[in-house]
């Protein structure tokens, strides 16, 4: 008997009496389990999905990837672009009942900048100080102009947490997170479920149309789809491309997808601890050879049924930030072998870690077969996703495969990954020229100037190749016909205001 069936049976025999008569629950199948539920510390895509329901931000993005108000109702820049002033929404409460005001915003931003475990430091590196310039007004004073700051505040760096809980729990805030979103935290059982419930005092509560959300990590897409069809799930995110036709033909399901601004990639450990001391980590020619042995277009057809986009940069070829001087390379086994020979190798053993979900496993098996023709003997190491990220952070890997969901500003796809002190620089790549270019790109309000900087940086990165970009996958959903009002967002987040269940 599945855990879902046991739960349904238990509810039927008495637990329902504890719920309102019209209580409705939305059950969402996630591809992975989230890491720590602290916006300052977390880094997983599925964690951000949970935050979208639990933690409002200063600003959000709309369906056109434009920045729109959320906790901040309006904002203005000084003429020199070094001061950002934001008006904070009146009447907002945290889940613990405390008011959300300018002081609470300042406390969160300062926590993001100073908490030893914070991964938001590089995102807020341009901020010299943040202060309450009024009860509901916040002023950011910057060290240098930073046109990326608003985009950073539309994500985890701008999620405002309750000061009292943050102070009491410190680095353990994720054990009982308190935010100001439409749903509040109830419980979490690792690898099993995250449960949220409707927050009755939410500032926009009329748009909350379900009482409870349960997120269930189910890496196996076949199992996830079976649970959706049996009624044990209402929405399944990132379903396998091979299931798209089946979902479209199912009268009880709806299919939806959208290609976001992120990327799929492999991270080469070039400087993170003892395991960086390996041929692949020390010689860029071997990384270049590995990349040339991959047929990115074929991966799109074999693994993603033609729904993905081949890529070799942190921006998709459809993006205005894509460097057209570096087109997606065709597979070239002979050149790959030549580079290996120049590096002194005819064959090379590599351990490649990846998440243990269906799609990634299939993709890694395809790549394993492709690069073998150039002389790379790849051993695959499948692991749970949060563990994979922990191993990346610790440097306990040689080559690691993970995705980045992408940001609306190009800085969000690059800076924190490849600058010397970047918050998610797990490869520990450090090139002062790349730092200089990416830091300068943050300061210019002129997109053409920024484009020159990003083009120059991507050219260096394409040569050094600490990150091997593979392409850009769609966010694909299978949705029960009982669910109404859900539409995929371009950033892959699941916005649930206005979503109901029959």
């Amino acid at each position: 008997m599945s855990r879902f069936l046991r739960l349904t049976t238990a509810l039927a025999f008495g637990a329902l009496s504890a719920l309102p008569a019209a209580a409705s629950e939305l059950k969402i199948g996630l591809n992975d389990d989230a890491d720590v539920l602290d916006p300052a510390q977390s880094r997983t895509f599925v964690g951000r999905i949970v935050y979208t329901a639990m933690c409002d931000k200063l600003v959000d993005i709309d369906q056109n990837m434009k920045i729109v108000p959320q906790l901040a109702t309006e904002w203005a820049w000084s003429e020199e672009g070094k001061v950002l002033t934001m008006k904070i929404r009146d009447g907002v409460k945290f889940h613990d009942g405390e008011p959300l005001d300018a002081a609470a915003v300042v406390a969160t931003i300062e926590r993001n900048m100073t908490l030893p475990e914070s991964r938001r430091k590089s995102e807020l590196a341009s901020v010299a100080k943040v202060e309450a310039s009024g009860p509901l007004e916040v002023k950011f004073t910057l060290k240098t102009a930073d046109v990326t700051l608003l985009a950073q505040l539309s994500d985890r760096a701008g999620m405002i947490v309750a000061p009292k809980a943050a102070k009491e729990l410190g680095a353990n805030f994720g054990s009982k997170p308190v935010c100001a979103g439409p749903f509040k935290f109830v419980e979490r059982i690792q690898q099993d479920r995250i449960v949220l419930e409707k927050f009755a005092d939410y500032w926009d509560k009329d748009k909350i149309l379900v009482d409870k959300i349960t997120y269930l990590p189910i890496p196996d897409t076949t199992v996830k789809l079976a649970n959706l069809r049996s009624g044990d799930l209402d929405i399944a995110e990132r379903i396998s491309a091979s299931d798209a036709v089946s979902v479209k033909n199912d009268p009880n399901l709806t299919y939806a997808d959208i290609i976001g601004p992120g990327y799929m990639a492999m991270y080469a450990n070039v400087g993170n601890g003892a395991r960086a001391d390996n041929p692949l980590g020390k010689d860029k020619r071997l990384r270049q050879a590995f990349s040339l042995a991959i047929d990115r277009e074929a991966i799109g057809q074999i693994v993603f049924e033609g729904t993905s986009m081949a890529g070799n940069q942190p921006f998709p070829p459809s993006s205005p930030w894509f460097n057209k001087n570096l087109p997606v390379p065709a597979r070239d086994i002979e050149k790959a072998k030549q580079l290996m020979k120049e590096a002194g190798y005819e064959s090379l053993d590599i351990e490649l870690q990846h998440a243990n979900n269906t799609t990634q496993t299939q993709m890694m098996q395809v790549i394993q077969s492709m690069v073998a023709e150039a002389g790379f003997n790849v051993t695959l190491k499948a692991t749970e996703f949060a563990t994979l990220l922990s191993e990346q952070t610790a440097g306990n890997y040689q080559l690691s495969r993970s995705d980045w969901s992408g940001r609306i500003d190009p800085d969000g796809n690059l800076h924190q990954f490849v600058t010397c002190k970047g918050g998610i620089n797990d490869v520990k790549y450090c090139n002062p020229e790349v730092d200089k270019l990416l830091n300068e790109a943050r300061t210019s309000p002129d997109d053409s100037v920024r484009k020159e900087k990003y083009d120059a940086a991507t050219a260096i990165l394409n040569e050094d190749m600490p990150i091997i970009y593979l392409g850009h996958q769609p966010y694909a959903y299978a949705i029960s016909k009982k669910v109404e009002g859900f539409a995929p967002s371009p950033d892959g987040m699941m916005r649930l205001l206005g979503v109901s269940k029959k």
Side-chain angles (χ1 to χ4, degrees):
M1 184 183 290
S2 72
R3 66 166 180 251
F4 305 110
L5 184 55
R6 289 197 299 270
L7 176 61
T8 304
T9 304
L11 288 173
F13 282 95
L16 278 173
S17 61
L19 294 172
S24 58
E25 178 184 5
L26 201 61
K27 293 168 289 187
I28 299 173
L30 303 176
N31 240 26
D32 311 289
D33 195 23
D35 60 348
V36 56
L37 291 178
D38 180 349
Q41 299 183 63
S42 71
R43 58 178 294 176
T44 59
F45 177 73
V46 290
R48 291 174 64 225
I49 290 177
V50 176
Y51 294 141
T52 303
M54 187 172 68
C55 301
D56 274 8
K57 303 160 290 190
L58 288 171
V59 291
D60 198 9
I61 66 166
D62 64 13
Q63 288 295 102
N64 298 311
M65 297 288 278
K66 301 296 183 183
I67 292 175
V68 295
Q70 196 167 66
L71 292 175
T73 56
E74 57 183 285
W75 51 88
W77 288 97
S78 63
E79 283 188 18
E80 71 279 11
K82 293 180 69 173
V83 177
L84 172 65
T85 304
M86 307 187 93
K87 302 286 187 183
I88 305 304
R89 189 178 299 278
D90 193 9
V92 177
K93 289 183 179 181
F94 289 107
H95 298 151
D96 61 3
E98 294 292 311
L100 190 155
D101 55 13
V105 174
V106 170
T108 291
I109 300 301
E110 289 182 339
R111 178 177 188 265
N112 287 341
M113 294 169 63
T114 60
L115 183 75
E117 297 83 1
S118 175
R119 293 183 179 276
R120 310 282 79 86
K121 292 175 184 176
S122 63
E123 297 167 17
L124 298 168
S126 63
V127 178
K129 64 177 178 177
V130 57
E131 55 194 323
S133 47
L136 292 171
E137 184 178 278
V138 175
K139 183 169 73 173
F140 293 82
T141 302
L142 309 187
K143 302 169 189 173
T144 56
D146 181 4
V147 294
T148 76
L149 182 59
L150 268 179
Q152 305 291 10
L153 297 177
S154 74
D155 209 275
R156 283 174 288 214
M159 294 175 185
I160 308 305
V161 302
K164 184 178 177 182
K167 184 176 181 181
E168 289 177 355
L169 295 170
N172 293 319
F173 178 83
S175 65
K176 195 175 181 182
V178 182
C179 294
F183 296 88
K184 64 181 181 179
F185 179 80
V186 176
E187 69 167 343
R188 178 186 189 171
I189 299 175
Q190 293 282 152
Q191 302 301 322
D192 186 78
R193 64 182 179 271
I194 296 170
V195 181
L196 310 180
E197 67 181 12
K198 177 180 178 178
F199 178 44
D201 290 328
Y202 183 61
W203 61 270
D204 202 10
K205 61 184 176 184
D206 290 345
K207 293 180 182 175
I208 308 175
L209 304 181
V210 293
D211 298 291
K212 180 179 177 182
I213 303 173
T214 300
Y215 297 96
L216 300 153
I218 306 175
D220 189 312
T221 57
T222 302
V223 173
K224 189 162 52 180
L225 190 55
N227 282 329
L228 180 69
R229 287 193 160 114
S230 69
D232 291 327
L233 291 176
D234 300 301
I235 303 175
E237 63 98 15
R238 283 181 293 169
I239 63 166
S240 174
S242 60
D243 290 324
V245 173
S246 172
V247 171
K248 290 175 183 177
N249 291 333
D250 191 323
N252 298 313
L253 302 178
T254 300
Y255 174 85
D257 69 18
I258 191 168
I259 286 188
Y263 57 77
M264 303 179 284
M266 292 183 292
Y267 297 79
N269 187 349
V270 299
N272 193 350
R275 291 206 65 186
D277 187 13
N278 69 83
L280 190 74
K282 294 171 72 172
D283 196 324
K284 64 185 179 183
R285 292 171 297 186
L286 293 172
R287 300 191 291 274
Q288 293 167 1
F290 196 97
S291 176
L292 283 169
I294 298 169
D295 189 330
R296 290 163 171 79
E297 293 289 349
I299 288 172
Q301 296 301 320
I302 297 168
V303 181
F304 295 99
E305 304 279 329
T307 61
S308 68
M309 182 181 293
N312 65 325
Q313 297 177 36
F315 324 116
S318 57
S319 168
W321 301 103
F322 184 81
N323 186 345
K324 294 181 179 178
N325 294 322
L326 299 172
V328 180
R331 188 183 191 217
D332 192 335
I333 290 294
E334 291 308 312
K335 188 173 180 181
K337 288 181 177 179
Q338 180 185 337
L339 285 167
M340 287 189 72
K341 188 175 181 180
E342 289 175 9
Y345 294 89
E346 288 190 3
S347 65
L348 184 66
D349 295 337
I350 293 174
E351 181 186 84
L352 197 169
Q353 71 167 8
H354 63 92
N356 63 347
N357 66 61
T358 310
T359 302
Q360 280 216 28
T361 299
Q362 183 186 5
M363 186 177 187
M364 291 304 94
Q365 289 170 344
V366 171
I367 287 178
Q368 180 187 43
S369 176
M370 287 177 173
V371 300
E373 294 182 36
F376 292 100
N377 305 314
V378 173
T379 300
L380 297 179
K381 180 184 178 182
T383 184
E384 186 271 325
F385 187 58
T387 301
L388 177 142
L389 294 181
S390 177
E391 295 284 77
Q392 279 188 198
T393 301
N396 189 23
Y397 73 99
Q398 185 178 11
L399 189 62
S400 184
R401 162 81 179 91
S402 64
D403 297 334
W404 180 243
S405 52
R407 299 295 184 267
I408 57 174
D409 189 279
D411 180 87
N413 282 14
L414 261 179
H415 196 283
Q416 58 193 328
F417 294 96
V418 295
T419 51
C420 295
K421 296 182 179 180
I424 317 181
N425 185 356
D426 291 340
V427 300
K428 292 295 184 278
Y429 172 78
C430 185
N431 184 321
E433 181 60 22
V434 170
D435 275 31
K436 179 174 182 289
L437 289 165
L438 296 184
N439 287 334
E440 289 174 349
R442 282 182 160 185
T443 66
S444 176
D446 186 334
D447 279 354
S448 64
V449 172
R450 297 186 76 200
K451 180 68 164 63
E452 290 177 4
K453 305 293 184 185
Y454 288 122
D455 281 356
T458 52
I460 296 171
L461 292 168
N462 188 66
E463 173 72 17
D464 291 349
M465 209 162 280
I467 301 175
I468 301 172
Y469 300 101
L470 301 169
H472 313 272
Q473 72 180 92
Y475 301 124
Y477 304 85
I479 309 145
S480 167
K481 286 284 178 68
K482 293 181 180 179
V483 175
E484 297 180 340
F486 176 78
S489 297
D491 60 353
M493 297 300 98
M494 302 179 72
R495 291 171 170 81
L496 300 176
L497 288 181
V499 175
S500 62
K501 180 181 174 183
K502 290 186 282 188

